[in-house]
Short mmCIF file of all heavy atoms in Angstrom, two decimals:
data_model
loop_
_atom_site.label_atom_id
_atom_site.label_comp_id
_atom_site.label_asym_id
_atom_site.label_seq_id
_atom_site.Cartn_x
_atom_site.Cartn_y
_atom_site.Cartn_z
N GLY A 99 12.18 0.44 4.19
CA GLY A 99 12.20 0.21 5.62
C GLY A 99 10.80 0.02 6.19
O GLY A 99 9.83 -0.18 5.47
N ASN A 100 10.70 0.10 7.50
CA ASN A 100 9.40 -0.09 8.16
C ASN A 100 8.52 1.16 8.12
O ASN A 100 7.33 1.06 8.35
CB ASN A 100 9.61 -0.52 9.62
CG ASN A 100 9.90 -1.99 9.70
OD1 ASN A 100 9.36 -2.79 8.96
ND2 ASN A 100 10.81 -2.36 10.59
N ASN A 101 9.12 2.30 7.88
CA ASN A 101 8.34 3.54 7.81
C ASN A 101 8.56 4.19 6.46
O ASN A 101 9.30 5.17 6.34
CB ASN A 101 8.76 4.49 8.95
CG ASN A 101 8.46 3.90 10.29
OD1 ASN A 101 7.34 3.49 10.59
ND2 ASN A 101 9.48 3.82 11.14
N PRO A 102 7.90 3.65 5.42
CA PRO A 102 8.11 4.21 4.09
C PRO A 102 7.56 5.64 4.00
O PRO A 102 6.75 6.05 4.83
CB PRO A 102 7.34 3.26 3.18
CG PRO A 102 6.36 2.58 4.05
CD PRO A 102 6.95 2.55 5.42
N PRO A 103 7.95 6.39 3.00
CA PRO A 103 7.47 7.76 2.85
C PRO A 103 5.96 7.79 2.66
O PRO A 103 5.35 6.81 2.24
CB PRO A 103 8.18 8.28 1.60
CG PRO A 103 9.02 7.18 1.08
CD PRO A 103 8.89 6.00 1.96
N LYS A 104 5.37 8.91 2.96
CA LYS A 104 3.90 9.08 2.83
C LYS A 104 3.42 8.78 1.42
O LYS A 104 2.34 8.24 1.22
CB LYS A 104 3.49 10.49 3.23
CG LYS A 104 3.67 10.77 4.70
CD LYS A 104 3.29 12.20 5.03
CE LYS A 104 3.59 12.48 6.50
NZ LYS A 104 3.32 13.87 6.85
N SER A 105 4.22 9.11 0.43
CA SER A 105 3.82 8.88 -0.94
C SER A 105 3.67 7.38 -1.26
O SER A 105 2.96 7.00 -2.17
CB SER A 105 4.82 9.51 -1.91
OG SER A 105 6.12 9.05 -1.65
N PHE A 106 4.31 6.52 -0.45
CA PHE A 106 4.19 5.08 -0.65
C PHE A 106 2.76 4.61 -0.42
O PHE A 106 2.22 3.83 -1.22
CB PHE A 106 5.15 4.34 0.29
CG PHE A 106 5.04 2.84 0.21
CD1 PHE A 106 5.60 2.16 -0.86
CD2 PHE A 106 4.41 2.12 1.20
CE1 PHE A 106 5.50 0.78 -0.96
CE2 PHE A 106 4.31 0.74 1.12
CZ PHE A 106 4.86 0.09 0.04
N LYS A 107 2.13 5.08 0.61
CA LYS A 107 0.73 4.71 0.89
C LYS A 107 -0.17 5.15 -0.27
O LYS A 107 -1.05 4.39 -0.70
CB LYS A 107 0.25 5.29 2.21
CG LYS A 107 -1.15 4.84 2.58
CD LYS A 107 -1.56 5.34 3.94
CE LYS A 107 -2.96 4.82 4.27
NZ LYS A 107 -3.42 5.27 5.57
N HIS A 108 0.06 6.34 -0.77
CA HIS A 108 -0.72 6.83 -1.91
C HIS A 108 -0.53 5.91 -3.12
O HIS A 108 -1.50 5.57 -3.82
CB HIS A 108 -0.32 8.26 -2.26
CG HIS A 108 -0.97 8.78 -3.49
ND1 HIS A 108 -2.30 9.13 -3.53
CD2 HIS A 108 -0.49 8.96 -4.74
CE1 HIS A 108 -2.62 9.51 -4.76
NE2 HIS A 108 -1.53 9.43 -5.51
N LEU A 109 0.70 5.49 -3.37
CA LEU A 109 0.98 4.58 -4.48
C LEU A 109 0.25 3.26 -4.31
O LEU A 109 -0.37 2.75 -5.25
CB LEU A 109 2.51 4.34 -4.59
CG LEU A 109 2.95 3.33 -5.63
CD1 LEU A 109 2.67 3.84 -7.04
CD2 LEU A 109 4.44 3.05 -5.48
N MET A 110 0.26 2.72 -3.11
CA MET A 110 -0.40 1.45 -2.85
C MET A 110 -1.91 1.57 -3.04
O MET A 110 -2.56 0.69 -3.62
CB MET A 110 -0.07 0.95 -1.44
CG MET A 110 1.39 0.61 -1.24
SD MET A 110 1.98 -0.74 -2.27
CE MET A 110 1.09 -2.09 -1.54
N ILE A 111 -2.49 2.64 -2.55
CA ILE A 111 -3.92 2.86 -2.69
C ILE A 111 -4.32 3.08 -4.13
O ILE A 111 -5.37 2.60 -4.59
CB ILE A 111 -4.38 4.04 -1.80
CG1 ILE A 111 -4.25 3.65 -0.31
CG2 ILE A 111 -5.79 4.48 -2.14
CD1 ILE A 111 -4.42 4.82 0.63
N SER A 112 -3.49 3.77 -4.89
CA SER A 112 -3.81 4.15 -6.27
C SER A 112 -3.47 3.10 -7.31
O SER A 112 -3.79 3.27 -8.47
CB SER A 112 -3.06 5.43 -6.63
OG SER A 112 -3.36 6.46 -5.74
N ARG A 113 -2.83 2.01 -6.92
CA ARG A 113 -2.31 1.07 -7.91
C ARG A 113 -3.39 0.48 -8.82
O ARG A 113 -3.14 0.22 -9.98
CB ARG A 113 -1.46 -0.01 -7.26
CG ARG A 113 -2.23 -1.04 -6.49
CD ARG A 113 -1.31 -2.00 -5.74
NE ARG A 113 -2.00 -3.21 -5.37
CZ ARG A 113 -2.94 -3.28 -4.45
NH1 ARG A 113 -3.31 -2.21 -3.79
NH2 ARG A 113 -3.53 -4.43 -4.17
N LYS A 114 -4.60 0.29 -8.30
CA LYS A 114 -5.66 -0.27 -9.15
C LYS A 114 -6.11 0.73 -10.20
O LYS A 114 -6.30 0.37 -11.36
CB LYS A 114 -6.83 -0.72 -8.28
CG LYS A 114 -6.51 -1.97 -7.48
CD LYS A 114 -7.69 -2.45 -6.67
CE LYS A 114 -7.28 -3.68 -5.88
NZ LYS A 114 -8.36 -4.19 -5.07
N GLN A 115 -6.28 1.97 -9.79
CA GLN A 115 -6.65 3.01 -10.77
C GLN A 115 -5.55 3.21 -11.79
O GLN A 115 -5.82 3.53 -12.95
CB GLN A 115 -6.97 4.34 -10.05
CG GLN A 115 -8.20 4.32 -9.20
CD GLN A 115 -7.99 3.68 -7.83
OE1 GLN A 115 -6.86 3.34 -7.44
NE2 GLN A 115 -9.08 3.47 -7.10
N LEU A 116 -4.32 3.07 -11.36
CA LEU A 116 -3.16 3.21 -12.26
C LEU A 116 -2.94 1.97 -13.11
O LEU A 116 -2.11 1.99 -14.02
CB LEU A 116 -1.90 3.51 -11.46
CG LEU A 116 -1.86 4.82 -10.68
CD1 LEU A 116 -0.65 4.83 -9.74
CD2 LEU A 116 -1.85 5.99 -11.61
N MET A 117 -3.67 0.87 -12.82
CA MET A 117 -3.46 -0.41 -13.49
C MET A 117 -2.00 -0.81 -13.41
O MET A 117 -1.35 -1.14 -14.41
CB MET A 117 -3.97 -0.38 -14.93
CG MET A 117 -5.49 -0.25 -14.99
SD MET A 117 -6.12 -0.32 -16.66
CE MET A 117 -5.91 1.37 -17.15
N LEU A 118 -1.47 -0.76 -12.20
CA LEU A 118 -0.06 -0.96 -11.94
C LEU A 118 0.17 -2.19 -11.07
O LEU A 118 -0.27 -2.23 -9.92
CB LEU A 118 0.52 0.29 -11.25
CG LEU A 118 2.01 0.34 -11.02
CD1 LEU A 118 2.76 0.33 -12.35
CD2 LEU A 118 2.35 1.62 -10.24
N ASP A 119 0.81 -3.20 -11.65
CA ASP A 119 1.24 -4.34 -10.86
C ASP A 119 2.49 -3.93 -10.10
O ASP A 119 3.35 -3.22 -10.64
CB ASP A 119 1.59 -5.53 -11.76
CG ASP A 119 0.40 -6.05 -12.54
OD1 ASP A 119 -0.73 -6.00 -12.02
OD2 ASP A 119 0.59 -6.52 -13.67
#
Side-chain angles (χ1 to χ4, degrees):
N100 280 323
N101 297 306
K104 292 178 185 177
S105 55
F106 177 76
K107 185 175 181 180
H108 175 74
L109 176 66
M110 295 297 291
I111 291 169
S112 304
R113 74 186 198 290
K114 289 182 181 180
Q115 292 80 6
L116 296 170
M117 292 184 276
L118 186 63
D119 296 327

